[in-house]
Amino acid sequence: MSVFAPATPFADFIYRHFRSVHALKLGLALLVAVTINAIWAPPHFIWSMVTIVVIMMSLPQVGGAIEKSLQRAIGTCLGSAYGVMLVATVDSYWLIMSLLILAVSLICFISAGRYSYAYLVSGFTIIIVVGDANHDTSEALWRTANILSGCVIAILVSLFIFPIKAKQDWRSQLTHAIDNMAEVLAQHLKAPANHDLDFRAKLEAAMKAVLTQKKLFFSLEWESKTLKKHKVLLSQLANKQVRLITLLELLPLTRWQEEDKDAYLQINAVASELAFYLQQLAEFVAGKAQQLPTLPECLEQELQHRLQLALASAPITSTIVTSTTMTSTTDSNAAATNGEVPQGFALTGYSWLIYQLAIAVEALYEDIAIIEIAYNKQPASQIKPSKAD
């Protein structure tokens, strides 16, 4: 089923109340650990509960819990193996501590990137296992076993008890970002000339949604094979949203004179279609539309042509500087000296901004179309945005 398909009522309920569900799941995982301890009472079982809290406390999504559990398990096994080897084979206190410090320092040096948590766990596991170097290996092995059992409990509870999916959170954040951008564009185009509307809150909300999408990438890889194959595309999609947000930040900075009103109204009439396309895209991503909306063929070229027509019909009081019109150059320089912006330049710059917005909107459509087609398992040759004839 596509990541953009409508969510089931159960999944929607879990997502809307994910904080309460997450707290309930953490409590259930700890209850499982406590029950095991009550029945078998293994030594040092507190490490199982500590592991559950560390893994599940900050990662409600299934993919995130699996990712962190595996990293903790790998780091625990490697750190424990090294620590047990030191305790079992080295008798000198100072030699054990020297090898411990050397290992932890080396781990600190190479720790970076996606698996930094596994390095961190292996480092403090070595210290926990070695301790004061005066105990046998059985204590280290029990601690390792309890940590691994905590990882297993965290994974099983995350997977099978009210699973909170990163896919749904990612889709919700993508919808939120696109919806905010569409609203900003629509409000700007409907506003009067030289308006003082403040779009910073909505654009900041859109940017936060994009940053949240990036934080979910690792979790998405564990939950969806399709998204894992297109992880580079997910990053590109986030970057294209940032570019669109940047372009929208420039819109409120545009200013024009009253005599330019008619020309700008013509340009805004063309740009209003972009807001409509963005809103349609947000509805599809949210699962409110069954099919990806279609874009006109060569959208940006069509808009460019229509923008040029709007500029051609506008009364130009100060022409753009060219190498063949010395008089126009003189007039433009004089206008610049008087602190005025040549109207031709202002209109051309504004139309260029709208044209870039069209390119950015089309780029969003293309990436989302690729993801949708991949979920439908269509041939790779067909992975391209569908467009209306």
Side-chain angles (χ1 to χ4, degrees):
M1 185 173 64
S2 172
V3 69
F4 302 121
T8 63
F10 180 69
D12 186 61
F13 174 83
I14 290 178
Y15 183 73
R16 284 188 289 107
H17 303 87
F18 83 94
R19 291 186 182 275
S20 300
V21 173
H22 183 218
L24 175 63
K25 291 175 65 173
L26 178 59
L28 290 175
L30 291 174
L31 179 60
V32 171
V34 170
T35 303
I36 293 175
N37 186 40
I39 296 175
W40 288 289
H44 307 290
F45 198 75
I46 190 66
W47 283 104
S48 178
M49 300 179 68
V50 169
T51 300
I52 291 171
V53 172
V54 169
I55 291 174
M56 297 186 64
M57 181 70 77
S58 59
L59 293 170
Q61 296 87 4
V62 172
I66 295 175
E67 168 89 9
K68 197 165 187 177
S69 295
L70 291 178
Q71 288 202 38
R72 188 173 180 88
I74 293 172
T76 298
C77 290
L78 294 177
S80 177
Y82 184 80
V84 170
M85 184 270 294
L86 289 182
V87 173
T89 60
V90 181
D91 294 330
S92 169
Y93 171 82
W94 286 109
L95 181 55
I96 288 180
M97 290 304 171
S98 297
L99 293 174
L100 181 150
I101 294 172
L102 177 62
V104 174
S105 299
L106 179 61
I107 290 171
C108 177
F109 177 76
I110 64 177
S111 176
R114 176 172 180 173
Y115 303 104
S116 58
Y117 182 68
Y119 290 114
L120 170 66
V121 171
S122 65
F124 71 68
T125 300
I126 294 173
I127 297 175
I128 291 171
V129 169
V130 173
D132 58 2
N134 292 323
H135 56 268
D136 57 27
T137 58
S138 63
E139 182 176 348
L141 294 176
W142 273 115
R143 289 181 179 179
T144 302
N146 288 323
I147 291 174
L148 294 177
S149 68
C151 292
V152 172
I153 293 172
I155 291 176
L156 293 178
V157 171
S158 297
L159 275 174
F160 299 109
I161 299 179
F162 305 129
I164 302 173
K165 297 297 184 66
K167 291 188 296 183
Q168 190 168 1
D169 194 10
W170 173 78
R171 185 178 76 169
S172 177
Q173 296 299 332
L174 178 59
T175 302
H176 185 57
I178 297 175
D179 197 41
N180 273 280
M181 289 186 285
E183 189 172 347
V184 167
L185 181 56
Q187 289 183 3
H188 169 77
L189 297 176
K190 293 178 182 178
N194 301 324
H195 64 78
D196 58 353
L197 296 178
D198 190 354
F199 300 124
R200 284 179 298 179
K202 290 187 178 297
L203 292 176
E204 287 175 0
M207 184 62 74
K208 288 180 181 178
V210 175
L211 295 177
T212 302
Q213 293 172 44
K214 292 184 176 181
K215 293 178 182 178
L216 295 171
F217 287 170
F218 291 154
S219 298
L220 291 173
E221 292 182 27
W222 287 100
E223 292 184 12
S224 172
K225 293 181 179 179
T226 302
L227 294 179
K228 184 177 182 179
K229 293 178 181 178
H230 294 82
K231 57 183 180 181
V232 175
L233 182 65
L234 294 179
S235 179
Q236 292 175 350
L237 180 60
N239 293 335
K240 289 175 181 178
Q241 292 173 71
V242 173
R243 180 173 183 271
L244 186 52
I245 292 172
T246 303
L247 290 171
L248 290 173
E249 287 178 337
L250 298 176
L251 281 180
L253 303 179
T254 56
R255 293 291 183 268
W256 58 84
Q257 303 301 322
E258 184 62 29
E259 56 269 21
D260 308 331
K261 180 179 179 181
D262 292 339
Y264 277 97
L265 288 179
Q266 294 182 50
I267 296 175
N268 287 349
V270 176
S272 62
E273 298 180 18
L274 297 178
F276 173 73
Y277 294 140
L278 275 176
Q279 190 59 52
Q280 279 194 321
L281 185 61
E283 291 179 359
F284 169 75
V285 172
K288 298 178 181 179
Q290 294 184 352
Q291 294 184 346
L292 179 66
T294 57
L295 289 178
E297 189 73 26
C298 301
L299 170 66
E300 76 283 355
Q301 295 180 16
E302 179 184 339
L303 287 182
Q304 184 183 33
H305 176 67
R306 293 168 60 184
L307 289 170
Q308 289 174 345
L309 293 178
L311 289 174
S313 62
I316 306 299
T317 57
S318 299
T319 56
I320 306 173
V321 176
T322 63
S323 59
T324 59
T325 56
M326 296 301 295
T327 303
S328 298
T329 303
T330 304
D331 292 341
S332 297
N333 291 336
T337 304
N338 296 330
E340 300 175 358
V341 178
Q343 181 180 340
F345 177 79
L347 289 173
T348 304
Y350 187 71
S351 64
W352 177 88
L353 181 58
I354 299 301
Y355 173 66
Q356 293 299 319
L357 284 171
I359 295 176
V361 170
E362 192 170 43
L364 287 183
Y365 265 81
E366 290 176 353
D367 287 352
I368 292 175
I370 292 174
I371 295 174
E372 175 65 9
I373 293 174
Y375 266 99
N376 293 333
K377 301 186 183 302
Q378 297 184 21
S381 59
Q382 299 182 20
I383 297 182
K384 59 182 181 179
S386 59
K387 296 182 179 181
D389 296 331

